[in-house]
Amino acid sequence: MPHDCSFLTDVLPEEQVSFGDSDRDNHAGDWASDAAGTSVTPDAVVWPESTEDVSAVLSAANERGVPVTPYAAGTSLEGNPVPEYEGVSMDVTRMNDVLDVRPEDFQIDVQPGVMGTVVDEEAASHGLFFPPLPSSGDISTIGGMIANDASGMQTVKYGEVADWVLELEAVLADGSVITAGSKAVKTSSGYNLKELLVGSEGTLAVVTRATLELEGRPQQIRGGRAVFPALDDAAEAVMDAVQSGVDVAKIELVDDVSAEIAAAYADGDADIPADPMVFLEFHANHGIDEEIDYCRSIFEGHDVERFEMADEEEMDGLWKARRELAFAIQVWDPDLQPLHPGDVTVPISKLPEIIRFAKDRGAEDDIVVPCFGHAGDGNVHYSVMVNLNDPETIATGEAVYTDIVERAIEMGGTCTGEHGVGRGKRKYLVGEHGEESVEAMRAIKRALDPKDTLNPGKIFPETAKGERVRAESDD
């Protein structure tokens, strides 16, 4: 139902508000919803330029019962920034300043619209880096990463974005401005609101400033790859390496289908055999050769065919091929497209099992399921490839996709490792956490946003009555 958003021009300057069709259409979805044709056009778009702007818009919208959905780069994969109930799309990309860098404290303060690579470049000028930066850091904002608790290839060594957020400034649904966390590296003062906001996908507050922790750049960096005769061997080798304590910064698994897709997309720019592979990168200040040899010895116990370290140029080509896999899958076969972006994570001991299940489950119904991902932390990305013009194949693909997610949860894993819940994974939340836990989450949402102003329709299945998650007086 459309909302009257004419009040916005009383709150912000005209140049920060748009009711135009083009701007509204550009904020109707993200990568996944655009591809699936499930975008929703907002009634208006605003571009706040300060915390005060965010507060003013939220206060006015909340008072009038108008939904507000935060929006940044639009590159998410679960419909996270789709304005499900129309209303206002709040684009924070004009809030893109690096506010302060304190290299002596290994800290940087940024606004939410800053791109991830900008943080890394700013840190590099001080001999530092931002370890949890996702591989999509050049097309993703810090605000989006915090909203989804993103992670990347280096999670196995450095952890996820949440582990590198120290303090947040954020605006609640009613316009109140709060600070969560501390610039100290540890605190036991009060409730941990920072951890509550990280990963909340803009349903509880809009982050307007983040203090991030940085790390000194390692003096030694070496990368390479291992080629295996079979996918089981590759997955078992990754599990064994992690369980044996190999100090690896990146350990990425690519199955034979994904390797074939990457090679075709690279078009000769990288030497990629059509075999299961593990891409590796080691970071150290000393003793890196010993760590590489240790990893090699473990992989040799799993019938590795080639274990080779690459020079910098070769390694750049390999990592580029891995980073571009999501794009490569889109153009690999004109008759097949990924149904949904698969992103499950399981305990490391279950990694070989979930990969084997995904491949076997696809083969059972003649569905191609390429598997790849941040294997060192148990995170598997997979694509269920279907003909989007064939309803029967789509239905079969949906069943395959659901079975993989549910099996990951049965193994003690999660339905989403880094893409967030959005609206794409809502139906799995109760199965993963239980109805009581999900209701506790709803209670937090009702307490901080009783009118369901912020990003309604995300994360939670509706209440038992099929209604929006609102405080009782507002139902």
Side-chain angles (χ1 to χ4, degrees), residues 28 40 48 60 113 115 117 134 138 147 242 248 269 274 300 305 317-318 384 427 439 462 468:
V40 178
M115 303 303 289
T117 46
D138 58 337
V242 173
V248 63
D269 288 344
E300 285 173 349
E305 293 181 337
L318 291 175
V384 175
K427 65 181 180 180
E439 183 55 29
E462 289 84 355
R468 284 169 61 182

Side-chain angles (χ1 to χ4, degrees), residues 103-367:
E104 68 280 5
D105 289 325
F106 298 89
Q107 293 179 8
I108 186 171
D109 297 340
V110 299
Q111 290 183 307
V114 171
M115 303 303 289
T117 46
V118 171
V119 171
D120 219 32
E121 289 162 5
E122 187 71 34
S125 66
H126 300 280
L128 305 171
F129 77 121
F130 184 52
L133 186 69
S135 54
S136 59
D138 58 337
I139 55 173
S140 305
T141 65
I142 291 298
M145 293 176 201
I146 290 171
N148 289 337
D149 192 10
S151 55
M153 294 183 184
Q154 298 180 157
T155 302
V156 64
K157 181 176 177 70
Y158 297 106
E160 56 192 356
V161 165
D163 300 313
W164 296 83
V165 175
L166 290 171
E167 183 181 75
L168 297 173
E169 176 188 80
V171 183
L172 301 179
D174 65 358
S176 303
V177 181
I178 66 169
T179 301
S182 166
K183 289 184 175 64
V185 295
K186 67 176 185 178
T187 174
S188 57
S189 174
Y191 288 173
N192 196 338
L193 295 180
K194 177 194 69 175
E195 294 290 341
L196 182 62
L197 297 184
V198 175
S200 64
E201 301 183 32
T203 62
L204 299 180
V206 178
V207 171
T208 52
R209 174 183 55 78
T211 296
L212 307 173
E213 192 171 5
L214 304 173
E215 177 83 357
R217 287 188 172 271
Q219 295 175 16
Q220 299 175 313
I221 299 178
R222 296 277 306 281
R225 71 175 173 202
V227 181
F228 290 85
L231 184 56
D232 271 355
D233 295 323
E236 295 280 352
V238 171
M239 179 186 70
D240 196 357
V242 173
Q243 291 176 337
S244 299
V246 174
D247 188 8
V248 63
K250 299 178 183 178
I251 184 164
E252 296 282 312
L253 179 67
V254 176
D255 75 356
D256 51 345
V257 178
S258 301
E260 178 187 336
I261 293 171
Y265 192 77
D267 196 24
D269 288 344
D271 172 25
I272 305 174
D275 297 296
M277 288 181 291
V278 176
F279 291 172
L280 300 153
E281 189 168 286
F282 299 86
H283 295 179
N285 291 326
H286 54 79
I288 197 167
D289 289 331
E290 289 82 352
E291 205 64 40
I292 292 171
D293 288 343
Y294 181 32
C295 185
R296 186 196 308 271
S297 69
I298 291 173
F299 278 21
E300 285 173 349
H302 296 277
D303 297 327
V304 65
E305 293 181 337
R306 292 157 58 186
F307 187 102
E308 48 202 14
M309 290 292 104
D311 61 31
E312 187 173 342
E313 186 176 339
E314 290 172 329
M315 204 61 227
D316 285 346
L318 291 175
W319 286 126
K320 183 173 184 289
R322 165 60 187 90
R323 285 194 303 270
E324 292 178 344
L325 252 176
F327 301 103
I329 286 171
Q330 299 278 350
V331 298
W332 173 55
D333 186 325
D335 296 325
L336 296 177
Q337 288 294 311
L339 186 61
H340 303 295
D343 164 39
V344 297
T345 303
V346 295
I348 191 64
S349 65
K350 302 294 185 181
L351 177 69
E353 184 180 343
I354 190 61
I355 292 173
R356 191 179 306 117
F357 178 83
K359 302 297 288 188
D360 290 348
R361 182 63 187 85
E364 182 183 317
D365 284 327
D366 200 25
I367 297 287

Side-chain angles (χ1 to χ4, degrees), residues 1-4 40-41 43 65 67 84-87 468:
M1 182 182 72
H3 300 268
D4 180 3
V40 178
T41 304
D43 300 305
E84 190 83 359
Y85 291 92
E86 302 165 313
R468 284 169 61 182

Side-chain angles (χ1 to χ4, degrees), residues 29-33 73-82 139-140 144 148 341 419:
D30 61 359
W31 281 8
S33 56
T75 52
S76 54
L77 294 170
E78 293 293 356
N80 318 73
V82 175
I139 55 173
S140 305
N148 289 337
H419 295 165

